[in-house]
């Protein structure tokens, strides 16, 4: 670098570090942090006990043992060894450091691949990337993986591009990059695949362009790659208890499980609440396209279009390789139809490569344009970053919720796409509630429920007991105050002003859109009614629910439970009326629709019943009971339709025994042999 550019690079990088550290100070605690911090404590206990404490190896629904999460573990080791009390503050600082290192290594990579100006533009593009910056505050899994991934790619290029004797320094850095990547997620094995693939392609390209290759050099590098891959593979297991049990078998096993992650989640996409394993093929590219700043997108497109005009022959192959490392993971999961959720945070590792190419495109425009046009381009660039910069300043620490101008910003995506899916706003809401309780001299034991754990935030207040609950089940839980993030809220309620509910005493907004509310309970008659219902005292429950609705008539589950009680008491007309009132609050309420379907079926109204069951399936394709009920309505008059409904159910869940048995029943009279095969199949899953 020349001296002025070197100075600008250093000043920009240092300023960015200071800003990121300062900004991370009040970052919210994410839901993933809570899970992975808990696992990291178990990992610490495993090593501290010499392997005697095996809780880190336990099988759970969260599949945490399959994550290497080495950086998470490292941070926890430091907090334990230094007796750091404010654990999450320290975690956020360390996350910001890793985010900054990712930016720095990417900028250095850009300088190596292109030039000094491209490196500075890379720093600036990261600085105006709300999604990446926001995750840098509290994401100790995806951000370190991004660092390891881009480092591994750069070190691979340096290793391949060097002629003559292999430098030990390059081999060591490459080994550590790959090891670090695998130690966070088993998917880091892709870097080893890149090594071998790029080696073959690199020397093929050299032979095609020069007509000759150095066979000895290629053999020597191949041997080095085998050694590097093996050492990196073994090093990756050092902080990973599950991998240590059997490195080769268990790391491969972890990769297979993570590639087809078994846990699925319902999420909001294009205005519809759908399961993560049923997202449309374009879920990932669209999520990226509407959350990456337009400046970055524009520069990236320019780079792709004009690449041959600004790349020298020596670097062209590495440009192609870099583009491949961006495109391949995205295409791979689309083709594989992987289980995708939480926007594209799990693919943050491709963003550094995108930024490099974007910076190269912008640099090309500035370099090739005449002076007067360069001024125009700079002006356009400055105007284009106003939106993301304004968003970050105004909405800190919720930068990661950003949606760009193509999506219409957060305001136009509200009710159509996920906002605070990481539950970070619960931190600010909890702090507000603590101050509210103090300021109003509220004493005595209190119960606070939240849509994700807030126990850490209330750790210093023994009189406040915290718990977790689903928002739709709030009337069935015992709480005095509730903290509710707008995740899993039906889009109908978001779009029609039903959420936040009337008993919200504080709401957190991002660009004037509510993302989290603190609720104060006005009555516990709804909870008392639910308890009476469990005890079988339906008359008493009905009285409680009647009183509860006078105070709170915006909770569909009160209507659902009240309707159920009235039906059990024999007042079918009133039950039907109450249930339909609840349906006005949430037309997609599976519980109410299912109940109304059952009532209609019992009344001998199959057409109306079928309509309700169909709506249940449309609302939630995994409400399997509805398929069986719906098929039963057609079993006698239209057996082919009944079978199709059951097969649709088994496509979603091949192991759902009631559907298998019901399908067998449809053949019992016409073909007992086929029926028996289904019954035998059901026994296997039972």
């Amino acid at each position: 670098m020349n001296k002025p550019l070197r100075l600008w690079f250093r000043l920009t990088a240092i300023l960015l570090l200071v800003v990121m550290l300062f900004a991370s100070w009040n970052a919210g605690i994410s839901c993933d942090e809570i899970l992975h911090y808990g696992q990291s404590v178990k990992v610490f206990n495993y090593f501290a006990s010499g392997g005697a404490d095996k809780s880190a190896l336990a099988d759970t629904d969260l599949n945490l043992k399959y994550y290497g999460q080495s950086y998470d573990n490292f941070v926890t080791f430091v907090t334990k060894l230094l007796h750091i009390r404010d654990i999450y503050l320290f975690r956020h600082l360390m996350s910001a450091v890793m985010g900054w290192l990712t930016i720095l290594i990417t900028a250095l990579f850009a300088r190596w691949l292109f030039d000094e100006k491209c490196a500075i533009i890379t720093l600036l593009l990261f600085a105006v990337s709300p999604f990446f910056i926001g995750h840098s505050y509290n994401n100790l899994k995806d951000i370190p993986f991004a660092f390891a991934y881009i480092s591994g790619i750069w070190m691979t290029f340096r290793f391949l591009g060097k002629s003559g004797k292999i430098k030990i320094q390059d081999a060591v850095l490459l080994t550590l990059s790959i090891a670090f990547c695998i130690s966070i997620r088993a998917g880091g094995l892709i870097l080893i695949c890149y090594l071998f693939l790029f080696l073959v392609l690199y020397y093929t390209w050299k032979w095609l362009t020069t007509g000759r290759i150095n066979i000895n050099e290629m053999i020597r590098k191949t041997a080095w790659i085998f050694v590097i891959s093996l050492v990196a593979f073994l090093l990756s297991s050092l902080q990973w208890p599950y991998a240590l049990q059997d490195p080769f078998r268990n790391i491969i096993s972890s990769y297979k499980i993570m590639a087809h992650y078994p846990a699925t989640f319902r999420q909001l996409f294009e205005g519809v609440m759908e399961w993560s394993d049923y997202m449309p093929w374009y879920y990932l590219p669209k999520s990226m396209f509407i959350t990456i700043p337009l400046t970055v997108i524009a520069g990236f497109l320019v780079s792709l279009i004009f690449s041959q005009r600004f790349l020298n022959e020596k670097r062209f192959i590495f440009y192609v390789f870099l583009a491949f490392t961006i495109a391949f993971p995205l295409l791979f999961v689309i083709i594989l139809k992987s289980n995708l959720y939480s926007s594209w945070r799990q693919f943050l590792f491709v963003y550094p490569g995108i930024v490099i190419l974007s910076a190269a495109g912008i640099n090309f425009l500035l370099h090739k344009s005449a002076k007067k046009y360069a001024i125009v381009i700079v002006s356009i660039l400055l105007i284009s970053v106003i939106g993301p910069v304004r968003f970050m300043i105004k909405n800190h620490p919720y930068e990661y919720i950003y949606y760009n101008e193509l999506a219409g910003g957060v305001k136009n995506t509200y009710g159509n796409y996920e906002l605070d899916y990481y539950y970070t706003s619960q931190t600010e809401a909890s702090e507000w509630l603590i101050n509210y309780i103090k300021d109003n001299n509220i004493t005595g034991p209190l119960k606070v429920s939240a849509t994700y754990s807030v126990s850490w935030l209330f750790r210093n207040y023994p009189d406040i007991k915290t718990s977790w609950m689903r928002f739709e089940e709030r009337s069935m839980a015992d709480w005095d105050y509730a903290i509710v993030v707008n995740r899993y809220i039906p889009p109908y309620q978001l779009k029609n002003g039903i959420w936040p509910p009337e008993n919200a005493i504080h709401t957190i907004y991002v660009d004037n859109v509510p993302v989290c509310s603190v609720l104060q309970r006005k009555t516990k008659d709804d909870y008392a009614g639910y308890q009476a219902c469990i005890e079988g005292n339906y008359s008493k429950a009905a009285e409680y629910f009647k009183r509860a609705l006078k105070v709170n008539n915006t909770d569909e589950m009160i209507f659902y439970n009240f309707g159920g009680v009235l039906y059990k008491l024999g007042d079918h007309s009133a039950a039907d009326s109450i249930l339909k009132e609840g349906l006005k609050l949430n037309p997609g309420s599976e519980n109410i629709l299912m109940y109304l379907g059952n009532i209609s079926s019992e009344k001998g109204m199959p057409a109306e019943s079928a309509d309700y069951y169909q709506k249940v399936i449309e609302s939630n394709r995994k409400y399997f009971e509805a398929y069986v009920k719906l098929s039963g309505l057609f079993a006698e008059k239209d057996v082919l339709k009944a079978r199709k409904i059951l097969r649709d159910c088994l496509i979603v869940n091949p192991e759902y025994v009631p559907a298998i048995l019901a399908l067998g029943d449809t053949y019992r009279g016409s073909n007992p042999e086929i029926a028996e095969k289904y019954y035998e199949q059901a026994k296997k899953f039972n």
Side-chain angles (χ1 to χ4, degrees):
M1 279 189 177
N2 59 48
K3 289 185 177 180
L5 288 177
R6 185 187 302 124
L7 179 61
W8 276 111
F9 181 87
R10 290 178 178 176
L11 287 176
T12 304
I14 293 170
L15 178 61
L16 193 55
L17 173 61
V18 172
V19 170
M20 290 178 70
L21 288 174
F22 180 77
S24 70
W25 199 266
N26 65 337
I29 299 171
S30 77
C31 56
D32 259 17
E33 271 194 284
I34 295 170
L35 296 177
H36 289 281
Y37 170 66
Q39 175 67 6
S40 69
V41 171
K42 294 177 182 178
V43 171
F44 177 84
N45 293 337
Y46 173 86
F47 287 106
S49 66
D53 186 337
K54 299 187 182 300
S55 57
L57 299 170
D59 284 309
T60 67
D61 294 336
L62 300 171
N63 302 295
L64 292 173
K65 72 176 184 179
Y66 301 112
Y67 288 94
Q69 62 169 67
S70 61
Y71 190 67
D72 218 304
N73 297 337
F74 167 74
V75 173
T76 295
F77 291 175
V78 174
T79 61
K80 294 287 186 181
L81 294 174
L82 300 182
H83 305 289
I84 294 171
R85 292 186 177 183
D86 199 334
I87 292 169
Y88 285 97
L89 172 60
F90 181 71
R91 286 173 61 85
H92 296 164
L93 289 170
M94 293 298 288
S95 184
V97 168
M98 183 53 69
W100 179 78
L101 287 174
T102 305
I103 295 171
L104 180 64
I105 202 75
T106 305
L108 293 174
F109 187 3
R111 184 182 70 183
W112 179 86
L113 189 57
F114 296 107
D115 58 29
E116 299 89 342
K117 291 179 182 178
C118 191
I120 295 173
I121 295 172
T122 297
L123 292 176
L124 295 175
L125 289 180
F126 270 112
V128 298
S129 297
F131 191 84
F132 184 90
I133 294 295
H135 275 283
S136 293
Y137 299 148
N138 52 23
N139 191 332
L140 280 81
K141 182 176 56 177
D142 298 309
I143 293 296
F145 190 80
F147 169 81
Y149 185 77
I150 197 65
S151 298
I153 292 167
W154 183 23
M155 294 305 116
T156 297
F157 292 0
R158 285 179 47 158
F159 178 83
L160 292 176
K162 287 284 179 68
S163 299
K165 187 178 179 181
I166 303 296
K167 287 187 176 181
I168 297 298
Q169 177 185 352
D170 289 342
V172 169
L173 289 175
L174 177 56
T175 303
L176 293 177
S177 296
I178 296 174
F180 187 38
C181 201
I182 299 172
S183 73
I184 298 167
R185 279 192 193 146
L189 288 167
I190 196 173
L191 289 179
I192 293 178
C193 298
Y194 287 163
L195 256 181
F196 286 95
L197 174 64
F198 292 163
L199 175 75
V200 173
L201 294 178
Y202 179 73
Y203 281 100
T204 300
W205 170 76
K206 289 196 78 171
W207 180 75
L208 291 173
T209 54
T210 66
R212 63 181 185 277
I213 55 174
N214 187 328
I215 297 296
N216 291 331
E217 179 183 278
M218 187 175 69
I219 293 173
R220 189 164 57 251
K221 285 185 178 178
T222 302
W224 268 100
I225 286 176
F226 274 103
V227 173
I228 287 169
S229 299
L230 178 61
V231 174
F233 193 93
L234 295 174
L235 285 176
S236 69
S237 65
L238 294 181
Q239 282 193 64
W240 189 354
Y242 179 67
L244 282 174
Q245 310 307 305
D246 188 340
F248 289 97
R249 183 177 299 174
N250 287 356
I251 291 177
I252 299 299
S253 171
S254 295
Y255 167 74
K256 290 179 179 178
I257 290 170
M258 291 296 107
H260 298 278
Y261 192 65
T264 59
F265 311 90
R266 296 182 76 180
Q267 55 188 349
L268 190 55
F269 185 72
E270 296 184 332
V272 177
M273 193 69 77
E274 182 57 278
W275 289 93
S276 55
D277 53 339
Y278 280 89
M279 288 290 105
W281 69 266
Y282 55 85
Y283 170 79
L284 182 57
K286 183 172 184 179
S287 296
M288 297 175 69
F289 195 63
I290 61 179
T291 55
I292 293 176
L294 295 185
T295 311
V296 177
I297 294 174
F300 182 74
L301 293 176
V302 168
S303 178
L304 294 181
I305 295 169
F306 297 103
S307 58
Q308 288 188 323
R309 294 182 59 183
F310 64 81
L311 285 168
N312 60 48
E313 187 177 329
K314 184 179 179 182
R315 289 287 186 255
F316 181 76
I317 189 64
F318 294 124
Y319 173 91
V320 173
F321 287 169
L322 180 59
F324 178 85
T325 64
I326 297 168
F328 175 75
L330 305 180
L331 293 173
F332 181 76
V333 297
I334 290 172
I335 294 170
L336 204 63
K337 296 181 180 179
S338 296
N339 175 21
L340 301 174
Y341 53 90
S342 298
S343 191
W344 58 284
R345 67 160 181 84
Q346 296 160 321
F347 288 83
L348 275 165
F349 64 89
V350 302
Y351 192 62
I354 290 173
V355 172
I356 290 176
L357 297 190
S358 179
I362 293 171
N363 191 33
F364 164 75
L365 287 179
L366 295 174
H367 181 69
K368 291 296 182 180
S369 302
K371 188 174 182 180
K372 61 179 180 178
Y373 294 118
I375 294 173
V376 173
I377 292 171
V378 170
S379 299
I380 293 172
L381 290 173
L382 290 175
I383 293 171
S384 69
V385 301
I386 290 175
V389 171
R390 179 207 63 81
F391 183 87
M392 288 193 288
I393 294 172
K394 180 182 177 182
N395 298 295
H396 177 72
Y398 306 114
E399 287 89 336
Y400 90 99
I401 298 176
Y402 172 77
Y403 284 88
N404 63 28
E405 291 83 355
L406 292 174
V410 170
K411 184 177 181 180
N412 287 337
T413 54
Y414 181 69
N416 292 313
Y417 298 92
E418 295 286 356
L419 295 184
D420 191 13
Y421 56 80
Y422 241 14
Y423 297 90
T424 60
S425 55
Q426 286 194 159
T427 301
E428 181 183 343
S430 297
E431 292 169 352
W432 181 91
L433 180 56
I434 289 169
N435 291 328
Y436 175 83
I437 291 170
K438 288 179 180 178
D439 294 343
N440 289 275
N441 297 315
I442 300 171
T443 58
L446 292 173
K447 296 179 179 179
V448 174
S449 277
T451 43
Y452 211 86
S453 174
V454 290
S455 59
W456 169 263
L457 297 162
F458 288 89
R459 66 193 182 282
N460 296 323
Y461 302 92
D463 287 342
I464 300 176
K465 182 181 178 182
T466 64
S467 61
W468 169 86
M469 71 171 183
R470 293 185 177 91
F471 175 70
E472 66 270 20
E473 296 175 353
R474 61 195 180 281
S475 64
M476 300 148 65
D478 186 12
W479 53 273
D480 300 301
Y481 296 92
I483 298 170
V484 181
V485 173
N486 70 351
R487 190 177 187 188
Y488 296 121
I489 307 296
Y492 179 86
Q493 295 187 351
L494 296 174
K495 293 179 179 181
N496 288 277
I498 298 172
W499 191 90
E502 294 177 353
N503 59 331
I505 57 174
H506 180 68
T507 300
I508 295 170
Y509 293 88
V510 171
D511 260 12
N512 302 317
V513 166
V515 296
C516 183
S517 283
V518 179
L519 313 182
Q520 184 177 40
R521 198 163 204 160
K522 303 299 182 183
T523 178
K524 288 194 177 183
D525 284 333
D526 49 0
Y527 177 68
Y530 176 66
Q531 292 299 312
C533 188
I534 292 175
E535 295 166 2
N537 193 338
Y538 300 126
S539 296
K540 188 177 180 182
E543 289 299 319
Y544 278 125
F545 288 135
K546 189 181 296 183
R547 292 205 299 266
L549 285 176
K550 291 179 180 179
V551 179
N552 180 11
N553 63 355
T554 60
D555 185 340
E556 70 264 28
M557 286 304 289
I558 300 177
F559 287 94
Y560 168 74
N561 286 320
F562 191 15
V565 164
L566 291 172
Y567 192 80
K568 288 182 173 68
L569 291 172
D571 195 345
H572 295 182
S573 177
D576 187 77
S577 177
I578 283 291
L579 288 168
K580 288 177 179 175
E581 283 297 311
L583 211 56
K584 292 178 182 178
L585 295 170
N586 180 14
S589 173
E590 305 145 22
N591 295 313
I592 295 178
L593 289 168
M594 195 70 188
Y595 211 130
L596 286 169
N598 292 341
I599 291 174
S600 297
S601 180
E602 290 180 19
K603 287 181 178 179
M605 302 167 65
E608 185 175 314
S609 181
D611 183 57
Y612 282 124
Y613 292 144
Q614 187 60 48
K615 286 179 179 177
V616 172
I617 295 169
E618 290 172 0
S619 179
N620 179 5
R621 70 173 73 231
K622 293 190 179 183
Y623 203 118
F624 305 118
E625 183 186 353
Y627 291 89
V628 178
K629 292 279 189 178
L630 181 60
S631 70
L633 297 174
F634 299 98
E636 293 185 7
K637 295 183 178 180
D638 193 345
V639 69
L640 293 179
K641 186 170 184 177
R643 288 171 183 167
K644 182 183 182 306
I645 292 167
L646 292 169
R647 288 192 176 106
D648 287 343
C649 176
L650 293 173
I651 289 173
V652 181
N653 183 2
E655 299 181 10
Y656 188 60
V657 172
I660 298 172
L661 293 174
L663 192 55
D665 290 343
T666 66
Y667 286 98
R668 189 165 50 188
S670 60
N671 197 326
E673 290 184 3
I674 293 179
E676 190 59 33
K677 288 181 180 179
Y678 280 112
Y679 297 150
E680 288 299 318
Q681 183 181 355
K683 288 179 183 178
K684 293 178 183 178
F685 295 126
N686 262 338

